[in-house]
Amino acid sequence: MKKVRFKKKYIFILVVVAAFIIAGSFIPNYFTFNNIMNVTRQSSTIAICALAMTLVLIIKGIDLGTGGVMAFCAMISGMLMLSGFPVLLAILIGMAVGLVIGVLNGLLVSKIKIPAFIATYVTGQITLGMALVIGQGRSISGMPASYQAIGNTLILGIPVNTYIMLVFLGVTTVILKNTRMGKHIYALGGNETTLKMEGVNVDKVKVFSFALCGLYAALAGILLSAQMNTVHPTQGSTYQLDAVAASVIGGVSMLGGEGKAWMSVLGALIIGFLRNALDMLGIHPYFQNLAIGAAIIIVVGISVYNRNKELEAAKVF
């Protein structure tokens, strides 16, 4: 089974690489260093959201409030900076708020037994509403230059937010591969009943996963606002789709129990380069969403088909 999955993973990567080579042959300047770095900068936010979504998808959950959390936490950090708070402190407070929202989502799902898609959708709408109230429905700008530098500075030609994304990729990978909590996350997605029988606190695993999701969403919103040098109350509205798409395209199973952090980041890069190619071809953003939506349906369909085949094979043997 492992050999089959290994082959599928690398066949997928080869297909993607081939597609981009073909696209690059038709689009001038597509593979220039500046364009690649531009796409990497833009994809870093999606990648961090995808890492967050990976954690909850593996446990058979989902977070539909990512956009609201992104906007609300970025708005809090931005308002604090405009009030005179040090940049680092304002960022940490914004991330702490995201962590608290994630914990709340985890408690709603684990303790009150509200389905994840309902709990996170509601908290997402609440945080979106709070972002609109705090900003009075308008964008805020004028944050310190050091804050803007986070989203726009290059180190060795690579954007700072890309380095930040790589750090969180490393943290997520370590959690999933090298900690007991990571093993429990995969086990919970595979069979919750069995995990309970082993004496594991399943509620704790759920709260941990949603808490990290909230933390990562807050960071993504802050990085996005630093890059744009503005915070808009609805700035994260499209990121739920992109986060789910990146995770699923990267091989995370929506049936739970499967997924790798680095593959979700790869999925985010694929979406970033796809959007970039469509932009350079002059395709309207509405049609870009159709293309990504179609990609989700295709990949999820293949994933479900393969899982069903594996289950049938297991029954035979």
Side-chain angles (χ1 to χ4, degrees), residues 286-298:
Y286 294 162
F287 294 101
Q288 295 180 23
N289 289 334
L290 287 175
I292 292 174
I296 294 175
I297 292 174
I298 292 170

Side-chain angles (χ1 to χ4, degrees), residues 54-107:
T54 296
L55 293 166
V56 294
L57 287 177
I58 290 175
I59 65 169
K60 291 184 181 179
I62 195 168
D63 191 337
L64 298 181
T66 301
V69 175
M70 287 175 64
F72 179 53
C73 295
M75 185 67 73
I76 288 176
S77 293
M79 295 295 284
L80 289 174
M81 285 179 231
L82 293 178
S83 299
F85 275 66
V87 171
L88 180 59
L89 179 59
I91 290 173
L92 291 176
I93 291 174
M95 292 178 65
V97 171
L99 180 66
V100 171
I101 295 170
V103 170
L104 175 61
N105 282 333
L107 292 174

Side-chain angles (χ1 to χ4, degrees), residues 10-292:
Y10 285 98
I11 288 173
F12 168 75
I13 294 174
L14 289 173
V15 169
V16 169
V17 170
F20 286 135
I21 291 174
I22 294 171
S25 65
F26 287 99
I27 304 174
N29 302 320
Y30 187 64
F31 284 126
T32 61
F33 181 79
N34 287 340
N35 187 58
I36 291 172
M37 288 300 100
N38 181 52
V39 174
T40 302
R41 178 192 288 112
Q42 295 173 353
S43 300
S44 295
T45 303
I46 300 174
I48 292 173
C49 290
L51 289 172
M53 197 66 68
T54 296
L55 293 166
V56 294
L57 287 177
I58 290 175
I59 65 169
K60 291 184 181 179
I62 195 168
D63 191 337
L64 298 181
T66 301
V69 175
M70 287 175 64
F72 179 53
C73 295
M75 185 67 73
I76 288 176
S77 293
M79 295 295 284
L80 289 174
M81 285 179 231
L82 293 178
S83 299
F85 275 66
V87 171
L88 180 59
L89 179 59
I91 290 173
L92 291 176
I93 291 174
M95 292 178 65
V97 171
L99 180 66
V100 171
I101 295 170
V103 170
L104 175 61
N105 282 333
L107 292 174
L108 290 173
V109 172
S110 62
K111 298 297 185 181
I112 306 181
K113 308 301 181 184
I114 299 176
F117 72 93
I118 295 177
T120 57
Y121 177 77
V122 171
T123 55
Q125 290 300 300
I126 291 172
T127 50
L128 174 60
M130 293 175 69
L132 288 165
V133 170
I134 293 174
Q136 298 181 344
R138 299 189 298 269
S139 300
I140 62 171
S141 58
M143 276 72 79
S146 57
Y147 181 66
Q148 301 172 34
I150 297 173
N152 297 284
T153 300
L154 302 178
I155 298 178
L156 300 177
I158 300 174
V160 168
N161 50 7
T162 300
Y163 288 109
I164 295 173
M165 180 271 291
L166 291 173
V167 168
F168 277 79
L169 168 60
V171 170
T172 308
T173 300
V174 169
I175 290 172
L176 290 175
K177 290 186 65 176
N178 302 110
T179 68
R180 181 176 297 178
M181 178 60 74
K183 294 177 182 177
H184 291 165
I185 288 173
Y186 281 112
L188 176 58
N191 194 318
E192 181 174 343
T193 302
T194 301
L195 195 61
K196 286 180 178 179
M197 292 175 62
E198 293 176 356
V200 175
N201 188 335
V202 172
D203 290 347
K204 182 178 178 181
V205 179
K206 292 180 180 179
V207 171
F208 177 85
S209 300
F210 279 100
L212 276 189
C213 190
L215 177 68
Y216 284 25
L219 173 64
I222 290 168
L223 289 177
L224 179 61
S225 66
Q227 181 180 330
M228 300 188 302
N229 188 27
T230 185
V231 183
H232 192 277
T234 61
Q235 68 178 25
S237 59
T238 64
Y239 279 79
Q240 285 95 198
L241 172 63
D242 285 349
V244 173
S247 300
V248 173
I249 290 172
V252 180
S253 174
M254 296 194 74
L255 300 176
E258 294 182 13
K260 296 184 184 297
W262 74 270
M263 289 291 284
S264 293
V265 171
L266 176 62
L269 290 172
I270 290 170
I271 290 176
F273 278 101
L274 174 60
R275 285 193 184 278
N276 179 249
L278 295 174
D279 281 337
M280 296 180 81
L281 289 171
I283 305 299
H284 195 281
Y286 294 162
F287 294 101
Q288 295 180 23
N289 289 334
L290 287 175
I292 292 174

